[in-house]
C-alpha cells in the first residue's frame, strides 16, 4: 500500500481527488442503473396495464379485442382469464408497482378488488401465450428499419412482469410483459461522463499542483544546501502563501548568517585576547626553577591552547573557505599514520586500493586525527581500515580499549564529555574531539558512528560520500 501512495504533494492530491471522483462516479452509476432498472419495470408494467384496460374495454363493448391468430393478437397479446391469480405469494411481489397499477386502472375507469404484480426471471409455461413486449427489439432491428437509416438497437429480455387483477365477479385477468435490458448507450454515456469529469478536474489540478510544488521544491533544495554567509536570496514565486513562506525563509537565512558572523567575530576576539596572556604566561613559566612544576604549568597552558583551537575549529565548521578537491583518501590516511608512528604510537593501516573523494582535506585530516587520537588515548593502539560501500567511503578506526556502554554512544558526541571523569591532560583532553569530528563529517554529507567490537574495544566509522 505504501508503494502505491505517492511521495509528492501533487501526486497525493491527484490520487485523493481521483479516488473521490471514482467513488462519486461509482455511486452515481449505481443510482443510474437502479433508476434505469426501475424505469424498465415501470415501462413493462405500464404496457401490461394498458393492454389489460384495452382488452376489458373491448369486452365491455361486446367486441373481441383481437381476432384469434391475428397479427395484433400476436403483437399485443391476449388476456388470460382464470379463477385464481397466476401471481402467488411465493413470487417476487412488487408492492410499488401494484399501487401504481391500481391508480392507473382507477384513472382509466377500471375497478378491481385486488391487483397483484410480480417479477419473474423465467415465465411460467401457462403464460407463454399471454405475453406482450417480447418482439419490440426484433421489429426495431428489422431490415426495413435499418434500410431507412435506423441504427440497430437490440434489447435483451431480462425478465418478465406479470400483472393479475381480480374483477368484481371474482375472475382474475392476467397478462405478462417483457422487461427489456439496458441498452449499451447508458454504459457509453457513463464512461464518457467519467472521462470528461476526470479531464475537467484532474488537468487543472495537475497544473495547480505544479504551480504550488515547483517553488516548494526550490525551497527544499535551498534549505538542504543552505550555507551561512550566502547572500543570494531565493526568488519568490508561486501562490501568495508560498511566496510568504519563501520570504520568511530568506529573512531567516539572513538572520542566521548575521548571527553566525557575529559569533565568529566574538570567538575570534576571545581567541586572540586569550592567546596573548597565555603566551606571556608561557614566557614567565620558563623562569620557574623547579623542573616538575615548570612542566606541569607548561602542560596546563598547552591544554588551554589546544582547547581554544578545538573551540574555534568547531565554530568555523560549515564556514570554511577551503574548497573541496578530489583527494586520494588512502594517501591521506597514510600521512596521518606516519605522523602518529613517528611519535612512537602503535597505529596500523593495511594499504589497499586507491579511493578518491571530493573533500576539504584539512578538515577531514583533523577529524581522522581526532579519531586516531581517541583510539590511542583509551585503547593504546589504533587499527585503520578503508573500504567502499555503495556511494560512500567508510574509514574505520578500531582500538582495544574498554569500549562504551550502548546507551551512552550518542552522548559521547556532546561537547566536553569524555568516557572517563578525569580532567587531567594525561587521560582527559578537551572533550571536543568527537564533537568536532562529527561536525566535519556531517558538513561533508557524511557521519560518524560508534559501535563496540565483538572481540573487545571500540570502532569509530567515518563515512564520506563519493560524488
Amino acid at each position: 500500500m505504501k508503494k502505491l501512495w505517492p511521495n509528492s504533494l501533487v501526486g497525493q492530491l491527484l490520487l485523493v481527488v481521483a479516488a473521490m471522483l471514482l467513488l462519486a462516479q461509482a455511486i452515481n452509476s449505481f443510482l443510474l442503473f437502479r433508476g434505469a432498472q426501475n424505469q424498465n419495470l415501470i415501462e413493462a408494467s405500464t404496457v401490461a396495464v394498458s393492454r389489460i384496460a384495452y382488452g376489458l374495454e373491448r369486452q365491455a363493448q361486446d367486441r373481441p379485442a383481437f381476432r384469434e391468430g391475428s397479427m395484433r393478437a400476436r403483437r399485443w397479446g391476449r388476456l388470460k382469464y382464470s379463477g385464481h391469480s397466476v401471481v402467488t405469494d411465493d413470487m417476487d411481489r412488487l408492492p410499488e408497482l401494484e399501487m401504481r397499477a391500481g391508480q392507473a386502472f382507477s384513472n382509466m375507469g377500471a375497478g378491481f378488488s385486488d391487483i397483484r404484480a410480480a417479477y419473474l426471471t423465467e415465465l411460467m409455461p401457462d403464460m407463454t401465450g399471454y405475453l406482450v413486449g417480447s418482439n419490440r427489439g426484433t421489429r426495431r432491428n428489422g431490415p426495413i428499419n435499418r434500410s431507412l437509416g435506423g441504427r440497430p438497437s437490440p434489447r435483451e429480455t431480462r425478465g418478465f412482469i406479470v400483472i393479475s387483477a381480480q374483477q368484481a365477479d371474482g375472475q382474475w385477468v392476467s397478462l405478462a410483459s417483457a422487461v427489456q435490458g439496458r441498452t449499451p448507450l447508458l454504459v457509453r454515456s457513463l464512461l464518457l461522463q467519467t472521462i470528461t469529469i476526470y479531464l475537467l478536474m484532474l488537468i487543472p489540478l495537475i497544473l495547480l499542483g505544479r504551480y504550488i510544488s515547483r517553488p516548494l521544491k526550490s525551497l527544499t533544495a535551498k534549505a538542504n544546501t543552505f550555507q551561512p554567509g550566502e547572500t543570494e536570496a531565493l526568488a519568490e514565486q508561486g501562490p501568495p502563501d508560498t511566496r510568504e513562506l519563501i520570504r520568511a525563509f530568506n529573512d531567516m537565512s539572513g538572520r542566521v548568517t548575521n548571527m553566525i558572523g557575529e559569533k565568529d567575530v566574538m570567538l575570534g576576539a576571545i581567541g586572540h585576547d586569550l592567546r596573548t596572556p597565555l603566551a606571556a604566561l608561557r614566557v614567565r613559566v620558563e623562569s620557574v626553577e623547579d623542573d616538575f612544576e615548570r612542566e606541569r604549568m607548561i602542560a596546563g597552558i598547552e591544554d588551554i591552547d589546544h582547547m581554544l583551537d578545538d573551540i574555534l575549529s568547531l565554530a568555523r565548521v560549515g564556514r570554511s573557505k577551503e574548497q573541496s578537491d578530489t583527494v586520494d583518501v588512502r594517501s591521506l590516511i597514510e600521512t596521518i599514520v606516519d605522523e602518529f608512528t613517528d611519535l612512537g604510537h602503535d597505529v596500523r593501516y593495511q594499504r589497499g586500493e586507491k579511493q578518491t573523494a571530493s573533500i576539504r582535506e584539512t578538515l577531514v585530516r583533523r577529524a581522522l586525527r581526532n579519531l586516531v587520537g581517541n583510539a590511542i588515548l583509551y585503547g593504546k593502539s589504533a587499527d585503520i581500515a578503508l573500504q567502499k560501500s555503495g556511494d560512500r567511503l567508510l574509514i574505520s578506526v578500531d582500538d582495544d580499549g574498554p569500549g562504551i556502554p550502548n546507551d551512552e554512544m550518542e552522548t559521547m558526541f556532546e561537547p566536553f564529555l569524555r568516557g572517563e571523569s578525569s580532567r587531567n591532560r594525561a587521560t582527559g583532553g578537551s572533550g571536543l574531539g568527537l564533537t568536532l569530528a562529527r561536525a566535519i563529517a556531517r558538513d561533508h554529507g557524511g557521519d560518524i558512528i560508534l559501535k563496540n567490537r565483538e572481540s573487545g574495544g571500540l570502532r569509530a566509522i567515518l563515512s564520506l560520500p563519493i560524488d
Side-chain angles (χ1 to χ4, degrees):
M1 183 64 182
K2 291 183 178 179
K3 294 182 179 179
L4 298 178
W5 186 255
N7 295 324
S8 65
L9 172 65
V10 178
Q12 293 178 4
L13 177 63
L14 292 178
L15 183 60
V16 171
V17 173
M20 293 300 100
L21 285 177
L22 184 61
L23 178 61
Q25 193 64 5
I27 296 174
N28 183 45
S29 301
F30 173 76
L31 295 177
L32 287 177
F33 276 111
R34 286 291 301 272
Q37 185 179 23
N38 292 336
Q39 185 62 34
N40 289 335
L41 294 178
I42 294 174
E43 179 183 350
S45 64
T46 301
V47 172
V49 167
S50 62
R51 299 300 187 268
I52 291 174
Y54 175 78
L56 293 178
E57 180 185 0
R58 303 289 290 186
Q59 184 183 27
Q61 296 175 0
D62 198 19
R63 296 168 57 189
F66 316 106
R67 294 191 301 274
E68 188 70 26
S70 66
M71 181 181 295
R72 294 187 69 191
R74 291 193 302 271
R75 174 183 170 188
W76 285 43
R78 295 179 292 110
L79 302 182
K80 177 181 177 62
Y81 296 92
S82 60
H84 63 278
S85 174
V86 298
V87 178
T88 58
D89 293 335
D90 59 344
M91 294 182 179
D92 185 12
R93 297 279 297 275
L94 303 173
E96 184 177 353
L97 286 184
E98 292 175 353
M99 182 182 65
R100 286 175 174 269
Q103 293 176 350
F105 281 131
S106 178
N107 293 335
M108 290 184 288
F112 295 98
S113 59
D114 191 9
I115 299 175
R116 295 187 176 189
Y119 175 77
L120 304 175
T121 56
E122 293 185 4
L123 191 63
M124 64 277 285
D126 58 344
M127 288 295 295
T128 55
Y130 307 95
L131 176 65
V132 295
S134 61
N135 59 346
R136 281 179 289 169
T138 304
R139 291 188 301 99
R140 192 177 296 131
N141 196 32
I144 297 179
N145 188 38
R146 288 199 301 268
S147 65
L148 294 176
R151 297 180 61 185
S153 55
R155 301 183 67 186
E156 180 183 358
T157 298
R158 295 297 180 87
F160 305 90
I161 292 292
V162 178
I163 293 183
S164 186
Q166 187 178 29
Q167 295 178 302
D169 57 1
Q171 190 177 35
W172 289 83
V173 56
S174 306
L175 188 66
S177 178
V179 178
Q180 302 296 335
R182 294 179 294 272
T183 62
L185 181 61
L186 179 60
V187 177
R188 290 196 298 268
S189 299
L190 288 174
L191 289 176
L192 180 61
Q193 183 185 40
T194 301
I195 294 173
T196 303
I197 291 176
Y198 269 81
L199 292 177
L200 291 178
M201 291 292 293
L202 295 184
I203 290 180
L205 282 176
I206 291 174
L207 298 177
L208 178 61
R210 294 186 62 183
Y211 176 65
I212 296 174
S213 64
R214 188 181 294 111
L216 291 179
K217 289 181 179 179
S218 301
L219 178 60
T220 302
K222 184 72 172 179
N224 288 332
T225 60
F226 171 73
Q227 293 290 339
E230 292 183 356
T231 58
E232 183 179 358
L234 184 63
E236 299 177 10
Q237 53 184 340
D241 292 343
T242 306
R243 290 174 178 267
E244 188 67 24
L245 176 62
I246 295 175
R247 187 180 302 112
F249 174 81
N250 289 334
D251 294 340
M252 180 199 68
S253 62
R255 291 194 299 270
V256 169
T257 299
N258 293 335
M259 290 173 61
I260 293 178
E262 293 173 359
K263 182 259 299 180
D264 288 346
V265 172
M266 179 186 67
L267 289 176
I270 292 175
H272 179 270
D273 292 344
L274 287 179
R275 278 197 169 97
T276 300
L278 283 175
L281 185 61
R282 174 69 180 268
V283 173
R284 292 188 178 93
V285 166
E286 294 293 342
S287 62
V288 175
E289 295 181 358
D290 189 325
D291 293 341
F292 179 73
E293 290 296 329
R294 184 174 63 253
E295 292 300 326
R296 288 185 60 185
M297 292 179 182
I298 291 175
I301 294 173
E302 290 179 349
D303 194 11
I304 297 175
D305 191 61
H306 284 299
M307 185 181 297
L308 280 174
D309 189 39
D310 287 342
I311 292 174
L312 294 176
S313 297
L314 183 61
R316 294 190 183 101
V317 171
R319 305 265 296 180
S320 175
K321 296 181 179 179
E322 180 184 1
Q323 298 296 321
S324 297
D325 294 317
T326 301
V327 177
D328 182 0
V329 180
R330 180 188 61 181
S331 299
L332 176 61
I333 296 175
E334 291 174 348
T335 302
I336 296 173
V337 171
D338 292 340
E339 292 176 0
F340 280 93
T341 54
D342 290 343
L343 296 175
H345 298 297
D346 184 12
V347 180
R348 299 177 296 273
Y349 170 60
Q350 185 67 35
R351 183 182 177 89
E353 297 180 358
K354 179 179 179 180
Q355 302 288 354
T356 61
S358 179
I359 59 175
R360 298 183 181 95
E361 185 175 359
T362 302
L363 292 177
V364 174
R365 180 184 288 110
R366 180 69 177 273
L368 283 175
R369 282 174 179 164
N370 289 352
L371 296 181
V372 175
N374 277 351
I376 294 173
L377 185 63
Y378 296 104
K380 309 305 180 185
S381 65
D383 194 353
I384 306 175
L386 172 64
Q387 64 177 345
K388 181 180 179 181
S389 177
D391 61 346
R392 291 184 175 271
L393 284 181
L394 302 181
I395 306 172
S396 60
V397 180
D398 297 347
D399 63 48
D400 297 321
I404 301 173
N406 292 329
D407 57 348
E408 297 181 7
M409 289 288 186
E410 285 300 314
T411 60
M412 300 310 300
F413 292 100
E414 296 180 9
F416 307 111
L417 185 66
R418 296 183 303 279
E420 46 78 47
S421 58
S422 171
R423 291 291 295 183
N424 78 58
R425 181 64 185 167
T427 59
S430 67
L432 290 172
L434 285 177
T435 306
L436 179 58
R438 171 172 270 190
I440 293 172
R442 290 184 171 178
D443 185 55
H444 283 78
D447 202 354
I448 290 181
I449 300 173
L450 301 180
K451 60 172 61 175
N452 289 311
R453 301 166 59 200
E454 294 181 0
S455 58
L458 185 70
R459 171 172 293 173
I461 303 175
L462 168 61
S463 66
L464 296 172
I466 303 175
D467 294 336

